[in-house]
Amino acid sequence: MPYHKFDYQQKPAIVILDFGSQYSELIARRVRETEVYSLVMSYRTSADELRKIAPKGIILSGGPNSVYTDNAPMCDAAIWELGIPILGVCYGMQLMVHQLGGSVDIASGKAEYGKAPLYFDETNGLLKDVVNGCTMWMSHGDSVKELPSSFIRLAHTSNTLEAAIASPSRSLYGVQFHPEVVHSTNGMQLIKNFVYEICNCKPDWTTRRFIDEAVEDVRNKVGQKKVLLALSGGVDSSTLAFLLNKAIGGQLTCMFIDQGFMRKGEPEFLMEFFDKKFHINVEYINARERFIGKLKGITDPEEKRKIIGAEFIRVFEEESSRLGPFDYLAQGTLYPDVIESAGTNLDPKTGERVAVKIKSHHNVGGLPKDLQFKLVEPLRQLFKDEVRKVGRSLGLPEEIVRRHPFPGPGLAIRILGEVNSQKLNCLRDADFIVREEIRNAGLYNDIWQAFAVLLPVCSVGVMGDQRTYEWPIVVRCVSSEDGMTADWSRLPHDLLECISNRIVNEVKGVNRVVLDITSKPPGTIEWE
């Protein structure tokens, strides 16, 4: 993942130095939840660069390494002398101890993973209003063995003596747990304490400020030129449409490309909502046969994504020639898209993220090299919940703001194997039933994503005293905060029974319904 290039007109109050943790961006998100602006930067960022940025605080992320291994990521040792408060998290704490003269004990049977009660040894501003004995999320093998001079122990767990440490005179702090994850019951309070009590930050990073700065940035970048936006009707592209309409008005043309992979009734809803209700210019392009034809005989999920992404851009280029010219292509790229497309490991030689691909996104990694547009991606730093807040502030109706995420390639990646019209119609009907019944049960807003998946295998069934040999439908419902991690939703049994009965009875070609109860990780939310 390319780190954010620092803009000296917009100084972050808190800088997170990334040592390869899967939670680095989550730390940034938690800081922003305190209405304080934060950015993630490479651990190789020099002390001189940090001095120029002049943040009020620095957080060192966790990471998969041991401080004693070859090529272990090390920060510039001069940062300890900047006089800026620093909080080390897990590996970040061990690095702090290691570089300041203490020692770390390499994993020797005392590793600690999962929830653990935290017990206080000293009172300190870092632990203000944190409950003694509260649960924190541990995930470490190595542990601090000996503290550097001037450091004291703040807290411990039953398995980790130095679970929280501090050198108050130098404003240096460390925790051996992950306060940023939801499993840490008082973790957010600890982060607030570091941000407000120790760094003396002010809550000036608000949704309104983001909108004002994003509007200004778009206007400065685009000038008087025209912008083309792919509108899907989801919360990301819808929020982006409202934001760009506010920024550049008539310079924006939204294009809805109906590739044939949308949910039931979506094309009609989209055109009615944006074009007629909110008077945002939307051009409807019917490209169903074109896209389905491109996927004939294709079964590999990654290849499907790339084909759909490339064809999507080709349609854009062709239609822009007819409607344009357009200089810019706007995309609703979010943080999770960037993270999953780039991976989380660090190259020890460069200090940059290594692309360990999980899946490609056609709005991040699948763009063709001969793309004719310049990109506008004002939502790129936001998580999904932040996008929802921006949408609400822009006046986006709740029925759009609370819509479940929908992948760019649409139902094509919820059909495993080859895609054809028969399977699409089958899945479209089953998916509609899943979402309708969850709405009827009043649970739609409690679930991050609810949808159906069609498997390319058949099983024997009995319907009307006759033998059937038809497809199974997988029901996938997950709960999440940002899509980075997720757990399967515990739906009431009577609701599941209703969904299953309706699908089997109403959807032609289906004789079996199964439930996916896999979390992320180890699985992904989508099946392809």
Side-chain angles (χ1 to χ4, degrees), residues 293-312:
K294 288 286 185 179
L295 294 184
K296 186 175 181 179
I298 305 300
T299 59
D300 180 77
E302 189 65 21
E303 189 175 358
K304 281 197 286 187
R305 286 177 177 270
K306 289 180 178 179
I307 289 173
I308 293 170
E311 194 65 18
F312 204 84

Side-chain angles (χ1 to χ4, degrees), residues 109-121:
K110 292 186 178 182
E112 191 174 24
Y113 300 98
K115 298 176 182 179
L118 184 72
Y119 301 108
F120 298 171
D121 296 290

Side-chain angles (χ1 to χ4, degrees), residues 230-231 255-260 262 270 283-287 291 311-313 315-316 319:
L231 186 63
M255 186 183 295
F256 170 51
I257 298 176
D258 186 355
Q259 81 297 51
M262 301 297 291
L270 180 67
E283 295 285 338
Y284 175 80
I285 309 298
N286 188 341
F291 276 84
E311 194 65 18
F312 204 84
I313 298 300
V315 173
F316 256 67
E319 294 300 326

Side-chain angles (χ1 to χ4, degrees), residues 24-39:
S24 294
E25 286 79 10
L26 183 55
I27 297 174
R29 176 171 169 259
R30 295 301 187 209
V31 173
R32 289 190 208 168
E33 286 179 13
T34 71
E35 297 187 339
V36 171
Y37 187 52
S38 62
L39 285 182

Side-chain angles (χ1 to χ4, degrees), residues 336-386:
D337 299 330
V338 176
I339 296 165
E340 287 198 345
S341 293
T344 57
N345 291 341
L346 296 183
D347 184 328
K349 295 182 179 179
T350 65
E352 304 304 322
R353 288 189 180 272
V354 179
V356 180
K357 186 180 295 181
I358 300 174
K359 58 185 177 181
S360 66
H361 297 264
H362 74 253
N363 62 340
V364 178
L367 295 175
K369 295 180 180 180
D370 59 342
L371 179 67
Q372 299 301 309
F373 304 100
K374 298 176 184 177
L375 296 181
V376 177
E377 299 176 303
L379 306 181
R380 190 178 179 88
Q381 294 183 15
L382 301 185
F383 290 88
K384 181 74 71 172
D385 61 324
E386 294 175 309

